[in-house]
Every structure is written in structure tokens, then in C-alpha cells.
Amino acid sequence: MADNGPMLAVIGGSGFYSFFGPDARTVTPDTPYGAPSGPITIGRVGQHEVAFLPRHGVDHEYSPHTVPYRANMWALRALGVRRVFAPCAVGSLTPDLGPGSVVVPDQLVDRTAGRADTYFDSGGIHVSFADPYCPELRAIAARQPGVVDGGTMVVIQGPRFSTRAESRWYADQGFTLINMTGHPEAVLARELEMCYAAIALVTDLDAGVESGSGVRAVDVFAEFRRNMEPFKKLVHEALDQVPGERTCRHCLAHDGVKLPFELP
């Protein structure tokens, strides 16, 4: 397909396992990195053809540290995707952002370990990542009603939740959101020259927040379910406002660089 990327994508996080009805077509691509998390369904939103991939699998088979991130992003790129919205569940590190808040972060801090986080194990390739999210997709998501624009999301290894001391430390650094899947997904998108923006739904106050009582997975999933329909509607409306042509240059990380292999 043309490199302006006519197809968009949504990568659904915890509790966000489907996006289209039964009329959508399903593809199951393979990649040099194995199979993606699950079948990719393709439907239409307004003028756009949109691919949907459940990050954790259709039945939440993958924990954050076992998600096949490289396969997921490669499969989407190979389908013709060049622009990605990435809804995710997050904890809040400040009482100003309570459960149900929707935030479009503008910064990311990586605290994961041992994850395969690059396609370039040879060739000396380095991508710019100072601003990890696509400014054009961020702007579209951030102007949706009720959305908070900006915030720093710290991505932890998981699958455990933070201790109170860790949570307070992150908050003291000025981080506002905590998550387990935002890295390496975002940097892999940049290596594949795909525009990428996270849309974060707050499901809980993290353990170090004074009014928080500690995080339980059952409560996170319950909060996500309570907000799922309006959250899907918000993502749908953001997709509908994406221009037909991709004009972003920010996410073209390899301008003037000779790569050791061709991108799909």
C-alpha cells in the first residue's frame, strides 16, 4: 500500500477486546516475530478502513510482560497501517485524576526490563524519541469532550502492581499515570514510522496516592467495564476526525538513514 497509510488501527487494552460487529473481516497474519496477540478485525469508521487488535488477546491470554509487541506492530504495518490509537487502562498517581478520567499523555518513562524493544539488533539504528507520541493524533484525541490533554505515563514491568513506596516515588518525580503496556509499543511504532498516540482511561488511584487503598486487578477490570461504552465511543469519534491523508513528518524516524532491512 501507499506509504501515506490509508488504514488506521486501534490496539485495545485490558477489557477492550472487540471494536466491530460480526460484519468485520478477520485476518490472522504471521510475522518474523511470530503471531500477534490475536486475530485482527478490519471494519470501517467513517471514511477510514480501521484494523483492531486486542493487545492482550481476545480472552486476555497475555500479561503485560508477555504481549508479543514486535509481532503486533509489525503485523499492523504490514497490513498498511501507518496511524495508531492505543487505548489503555492506567492508574493515577494524583487524586486530581480519579477513576473514569481519560487522559492523552504527552510523555512516557520506561521502567520495564527484559522486553524485546527494538527491531534493529544490527545496523546501528537510533530513533528520536524525545516526544514519544504523534502530535497530530494526540491533538485529535485530546480535543474530544472531557479529555485531559497531557501527562507523563510511567510504564512498569508488571505483572504485579506497585508498592506504596514505588508509587510515591513515581508521583514525586512528577509522573501522573502508571501503566504496564505503553512500552515498548510506542517505540516500536516509531521504529516502523507509524504515528501513535495513547488514550488512557484511569481505572484506579495507585497505592501511593493518599486516598488510594492499594490496587486489585478485579477492581481495575470492573472500572474499565463501567466506562467501556463511552470510551469506545470516544475512540470512534477520534478515528472519524483523522484526515484522509497522513501529513505528519514527526514520526518519520528514518529520513536520510539507510536501514539494514526494508520496513514491511
Side-chain angles (χ1 to χ4, degrees), residues 108-113 154-158 166 169-170 175 183:
L108 176 154
V109 174
D110 173 29
R111 294 286 298 171
T112 65
V154 57
V155 185
I156 62 173
Q157 175 67 2
E166 289 168 335
W169 181 51
Y170 298 143
F175 310 155
H183 191 277

Side-chain angles (χ1 to χ4, degrees), residues 203-263:
T203 58
D204 59 273
L205 294 173
D206 211 54
V209 180
E210 186 174 346
S211 55
S213 59
V215 184
R216 299 189 312 156
V218 65
D219 298 328
V220 169
F221 287 119
E223 184 64 28
F224 211 98
R225 283 194 299 272
R226 275 194 291 273
N227 291 280
M228 180 51 57
E229 290 314 309
F231 193 45
K232 283 186 177 181
K233 183 173 183 290
L234 185 151
V235 174
H236 192 286
E237 291 174 353
L239 287 166
D240 202 29
Q241 294 172 24
V242 175
E245 292 293 316
R246 181 194 190 196
T247 59
C248 173
R249 304 295 301 176
H250 175 84
C251 301
L252 301 182
H254 305 307
D255 275 356
V257 176
K258 182 175 175 56
L259 300 181
F261 55 83
E262 287 191 13
L263 301 183

